[in-house]
Amino acid sequence: MIYLKTEEEISLIKDSAQVLGKAHGEVATWVKPGITTKKLDIVAEEYIRDFGGIPSFKGFNKFPASLCISVNEVVVHGIPGGYVLKDGDIVSIDCGVKLNGFHSDSAYTYPVGEVSAEVMDLLSATKKSLYKGIDQAIDGQRIGDIGHSIQSFVEERGYTVVRELVGHGVGKDLHEGPEVPNYGKRGKGIRLREGMVLAIEPMINLGSKSVMQERDGWTIRTSDRKYSAHFEHTVVVRKGRPEILTTFDYIEKVTANTSLMVEVK
Ligand code: MG
Ligand code: MG
């Protein structure tokens, strides 16, 4: 079901998204070689609960953690655990917060220590593709315009778009309609309307678009084990110009002028 949100509901999602943005910023201070992914999860959960929020992912379809932490060839839905981040890794941190009855959802992929230029370019292009998609979240456009924008941007650069996982509506439920694919045809799909709140989240691979699920029932990785990047914002469709409800500002305060920084070129 697609729910159009009222301004009051949108402002509640914005409150949730502020806590989410700050939690991301707190986690960013811990992203470095030598840290376990479990530690990052603990930091996020404590931070979210301190602000009266609930980690959206914990317990969702029995997911065991507050963050999805996806390292290197893991695309999404990695489970935090004993893995120790090392120099040259990339780590995608996906987080959701429920506050005042409304969810917000966003993800960011960090380079850990020294990462190859090829992989830095993947991160930069994936982040930029997110904004290319967001630019289409305008009343009157169609869902395919978002996917087309993302797909054409990354494919021109030789990357591929994961098909099996897509963005989604977000609100009282973490996953609402419509589905928001990161691929598509211009002018196709449902028409976007002001008040739709969408999680737009390109998942972009360095190699083949093919992915598979590990036996834990969660972890999705690339079939060829080449790296994959993921960036996500929660956005409200507006007339004329979209409004981004989540924020990377707190992350970017931490990462500015460090090796963690992902510049959009
Ligand atoms: Mg997410
Ligand atoms: Mg999402």
Side-chain angles (χ1 to χ4, degrees):
M1 187 75 91
I2 299 172
Y3 299 96
L4 296 180
K5 275 71 176 183
T6 63
E7 291 306 322
E8 193 184 344
E9 289 172 329
I10 290 166
S11 94
L12 292 173
I13 298 174
K14 220 187 241 179
D15 292 344
S16 162
Q18 272 298 309
V19 173
L20 172 56
K22 288 177 184 169
H24 266 297
E26 179 63 23
V27 171
T29 67
W30 290 85
V31 174
K32 56 193 70 155
I35 288 288
T36 64
T37 55
K38 180 70 196 166
K39 173 67 185 176
L40 300 178
D41 187 60
I42 291 166
V43 167
E45 178 166 8
E46 285 180 357
Y47 195 90
I48 292 164
R49 293 198 192 277
D50 279 351
F51 279 85
I54 297 166
S56 303
F57 300 171
K58 196 158 194 178
F60 182 82
N61 292 337
K62 299 189 180 158
F63 188 76
S66 299
L67 299 178
C68 291
I69 304 187
S70 304
V71 179
N72 299 340
E73 72 269 26
V74 178
V75 180
V76 286
H77 302 168
I79 301 171
Y83 181 82
V84 178
L85 293 180
K86 63 178 196 306
D87 199 38
D89 283 345
I90 59 171
V91 59
S92 154
I93 296 187
D94 191 355
C95 188
V97 166
K98 187 179 191 188
L99 187 76
N100 300 323
F102 284 89
H103 295 275
S104 54
D105 189 4
S106 81
Y108 200 91
T109 305
Y110 301 87
V112 179
E114 206 58 35
V115 166
S116 72
E118 182 190 41
V119 172
M120 274 313 297
D121 286 346
L122 170 72
L123 298 186
S124 176
T126 304
K127 187 177 181 185
K128 186 153 185 185
S129 78
L130 166 61
Y131 293 102
K132 293 280 177 188
I134 289 171
D135 284 345
Q136 298 298 318
I138 298 168
D139 184 282
Q141 294 293 91
R142 291 185 181 267
I143 207 87
D145 294 320
I146 295 175
H148 178 265
S149 237
I150 293 168
Q151 181 180 16
S152 54
F153 181 80
V154 299
E155 286 185 351
E156 272 166 27
R157 285 154 184 80
Y159 306 120
T160 61
V161 176
V162 174
R163 301 300 202 274
E164 289 83 350
L165 299 134
V166 296
H168 49 93
V170 53
K172 285 183 181 166
D173 286 319
L174 177 61
H175 293 152
E176 299 179 351
E179 289 195 342
V180 186
N182 298 301
Y183 56 92
K185 292 201 166 66
R186 196 179 282 154
K188 299 285 182 189
I190 63 149
R191 201 175 280 282
L192 301 176
R193 288 292 176 220
E194 181 160 37
M196 285 182 182
V197 176
L198 306 175
I200 300 178
E201 49 178 318
M203 288 154 258
I204 307 300
N205 296 351
L206 204 47
S208 152
K209 66 179 187 294
S210 166
V211 299
M212 54 199 301
Q213 189 172 52
E214 299 280 13
R215 282 203 195 92
D216 62 15
W218 283 104
T219 308
I220 305 287
R221 68 162 171 87
T222 57
S223 301
D224 60 11
R225 295 192 182 272
K226 291 191 178 171
Y227 284 14
S228 181
H230 179 211
F231 287 83
E232 177 181 29
H233 269 313
T234 298
V235 174
V236 56
V237 174
R238 294 289 195 191
K239 290 196 168 93
R241 136 170 225 267
E243 182 184 354
I244 303 176
L245 299 178
T246 46
T247 175
F248 294 153
D249 287 356
Y250 301 99
I251 290 175
E252 287 169 351
K253 253 180 225 161
V254 174
T255 62
N257 304 314
T258 74
S259 64
L260 290 170
M261 185 166 61
V262 178
E263 267 183 296
V264 169
K265 291 173 208 158

